[in-house]
Amino acid sequence: MKKHSARVAPLSACNSPVLTLTKVEGEDRTRENVVGTTDTQTAGGAAGAEPGSNRRRLHCCIRVTTVQVRKALWGVAMVMCVCSSWAGSTQLAKLTFKQFDAPFTLTWFATTWNCLFFPLYYIGHLCKSPERQTPRQRFRECCRFFGDDGLTPKVFFTKVAPFGLLWILTNYLYLQALRKINTTDVSALFCCNKAFVFLLSWIVLRDRFMGVRIVAAILAIAGIVMMTYADGFHSHSVIGITLVVASASMSALYKVLFKMVLGSAKFGEAALFLSIVGSANFVFISFVPVILYFTHVEYIGSPEDIPWAYLCGVAGLLFAFNILVNFGIAITYPTLISLGIVLSVPVNAMVDLYTCEIHFNTVRLIAVFIICLGFLMLLLPEDWDQCIIQLSTKLRKRDEPAEGSGEAGATTGLNWRGRARTSMSTFAH
């Protein structure tokens, strides 16, 4: 086993947000320690713990609850930022094509901004880390993510270049779809990538089978068919829907292959990986926009005609979006970050309603609803059914009247307080 394989454990691809590469180092170990401590203290309380033990238990519950509340508040802010950046980049790209009809050039320009990931990460490293390293030392340490030999030409062409191509294809097909259909349909259909991730991870990564996720995948496929039917199967609409579904498929393939080939990266490793993708895009793909220009496929009259403000706006919003979805798990839950993606659908719908002539017929509304519903169902944890059963059991026990009239009132009150503490400790985790 390679050295990096022992410390980078693959995560379930279905539980990660779109294009997420990172993991929080030591998160699992900390959670296990907190749960184990709380469980031990709860067992001691049931046997009649001392007042000091009760105070420690209460302090542990308050501390854990405070951390969760703080992460939830950060999650609300993160949802708003993810939704704004994703919906904003989609709407601004749509406006850009009215003046600059060059989707591949825009894709190349936006992807080149990925070069900024590692420099920004290194600045954060200098501000936060007590042990400061030189850029070369940090670069070499992050290169261990690719194996014992670091970033060799063989590793680049086998483990980096394919993901760079998938990245470009995902964004290019998405932008091409925006030229054909409205932003509401594009953003809703792109949410199907979560269902594609589940299907691929179930087949390739041997993820756990879950009936609710199969239902969600079926809803996503049904939503695609209904979205196509909403416009009457016109060729223009069918091409746009095909493009965005292909973009969602490339995104799902990117995530599943990354989990299978490279595992889960820490923040520095993910920043380096994305910077390498951006640098490779600038070095190896720059000739494609030039060819498209001279063949008049994506022709630009003069440099003065290029809307640089729109181009930089789209690239900046996409860059901010990728920062949020890849590094936001440091301050909040991945599920809350994923909610920002699906919330961009109603935001785009409101913008389309007031800025363009879009007809929200019944079929289109149902299609958007079931796609978003399938996306939300895929965010359910693997043990969601057990959590519901445990919660219903606790609520039923709480509503049952106290039995045993021969017990003293003080003893009965003590039992209820102990039950309340136990319920609170369990709910906190």
Side-chain angles (χ1 to χ4, degrees):
M1 179 181 293
K2 292 184 179 181
K3 184 178 181 180
H4 77 280
S5 300
R7 63 182 179 86
V8 181
L11 301 178
S12 175
C14 234
N15 291 333
S16 60
V18 178
L19 297 181
T20 296
L21 309 176
T22 54
K23 63 175 290 187
V24 179
E25 187 178 9
E27 183 182 22
D28 298 335
R29 182 179 64 255
T30 304
R31 185 182 295 113
E32 289 174 0
N33 291 339
V34 173
V35 174
T37 303
T38 307
D39 292 342
T40 302
Q41 293 173 344
T42 304
E50 297 178 355
S53 177
N54 293 335
R55 285 195 297 269
R56 285 196 300 270
R57 185 193 310 124
L58 180 61
H59 180 268
C60 179
C61 293
I62 294 174
R63 180 171 59 85
V64 173
T65 305
T66 303
V67 171
Q68 291 178 341
V69 170
R70 184 168 64 248
K71 292 187 73 173
L73 293 177
W74 274 112
V76 173
M78 193 67 62
V79 166
M80 297 176 62
C81 292
V82 170
C83 178
S84 302
S85 59
W86 186 237
S89 62
T90 301
Q91 292 291 338
L92 194 57
K94 187 77 170 181
L95 293 175
T96 303
F97 290 142
K98 296 180 180 180
Q99 305 179 31
F100 184 74
D101 192 13
F104 190 89
T105 302
L106 180 58
T107 301
W108 171 84
F109 183 74
T111 305
T112 303
W113 281 48
N114 285 5
C115 299
L116 300 175
F117 271 104
F118 190 75
L120 290 177
Y121 163 77
Y122 183 72
I123 293 174
H125 165 75
L126 292 179
C127 296
K128 294 293 185 179
S129 178
E131 299 180 359
R132 298 181 179 179
Q133 298 175 321
T134 63
R136 176 173 294 184
Q137 290 174 336
R138 197 62 190 164
F139 176 83
R140 289 179 176 176
E141 181 175 340
C142 293
C143 280
R144 296 176 183 174
F145 172 63
F146 300 105
D148 296 334
D149 298 330
L151 184 62
T152 61
K154 179 181 178 181
V155 170
F156 173 80
F157 286 106
T158 57
K159 294 185 177 181
V160 179
F163 295 105
L165 292 176
L166 288 174
W167 182 287
I168 293 174
L169 282 174
T170 298
N171 289 276
Y172 174 67
L173 293 172
Y174 187 86
L175 294 177
Q176 277 283 12
L178 286 174
R179 297 172 66 243
K180 304 291 184 181
I181 56 179
N182 58 74
T183 58
T184 303
D185 294 350
V186 172
S187 58
L189 289 168
F190 191 78
C191 290
C192 294
N193 80 316
K194 202 76 172 176
F196 299 155
V197 167
F198 163 68
L199 294 175
L200 286 175
S201 60
W202 179 38
I203 297 171
V204 178
L205 301 181
R206 300 293 190 269
D207 266 8
R208 176 186 172 187
F209 174 82
M210 291 183 62
V212 65
R213 290 180 177 173
I214 288 292
V215 174
I218 295 174
L219 289 176
I221 297 172
I224 295 172
V225 176
M226 294 184 66
M227 190 73 73
T228 308
Y229 177 76
D231 289 330
F233 292 96
H234 297 301
S235 60
H236 208 66
S237 176
V238 171
I239 293 174
I241 292 174
T242 303
L243 289 171
V244 70
V245 171
S247 174
S249 302
M250 294 298 103
S251 173
L253 186 62
Y254 173 96
K255 293 201 305 183
V256 173
L257 288 181
F258 190 94
K259 298 296 180 183
M260 183 178 67
V261 176
L262 296 173
S264 296
K266 292 184 286 187
F267 292 138
E269 298 164 346
L272 176 62
F273 178 86
L274 293 173
S275 293
I276 293 173
V277 169
S279 303
N281 169 78
F282 180 78
V283 173
F284 296 105
I285 309 296
S286 296
F287 71 94
V288 178
V290 176
I291 294 176
L292 296 177
Y293 171 79
F294 284 108
T295 57
H296 285 224
V297 176
E298 293 185 358
Y299 183 74
I300 306 168
S302 63
E304 291 78 11
D305 298 333
I306 300 176
W308 289 108
Y310 284 5
L311 263 67
C312 292
V314 174
L317 287 172
L318 286 176
F319 181 72
F321 171 77
N322 286 308
I323 289 178
L324 294 172
V325 298
N326 285 293
F327 304 102
I329 61 173
I331 58 176
T332 188
Y333 302 102
T335 301
L336 294 179
I337 299 176
S338 298
L339 285 178
I341 306 295
V342 71
L343 289 180
S344 66
V345 178
V347 172
N348 284 319
M350 294 298 296
V351 174
D352 287 345
L353 187 63
Y354 289 101
T355 59
C356 63
E357 297 179 358
I358 181 174
H359 179 56
F360 286 104
N361 54 30
T362 305
V363 178
R364 174 177 272 110
L365 291 176
I366 294 176
V368 171
F369 174 75
I370 64 175
I371 290 175
C372 295
L373 178 62
F375 186 94
L376 295 175
M377 290 174 65
L378 288 166
L379 296 181
L380 292 173
E382 293 186 355
D383 57 344
W384 68 275
D385 51 346
Q386 298 178 5
C387 294
I388 292 178
I389 294 174
Q390 292 177 0
L391 181 61
S392 62
T393 302
K394 292 180 184 298
L395 294 176
R396 187 166 57 252
K397 287 182 178 180
R398 178 179 296 180
D399 294 337
E400 289 178 356
E403 297 180 358
S405 55
E407 299 292 337
T411 306
T412 304
L414 181 60
N415 290 337
W416 276 104
R417 285 196 297 270
R419 182 181 302 174
R421 290 193 194 99
T422 306
S423 299
M424 182 172 61
S425 301
T426 307
F427 181 76
H429 298 282

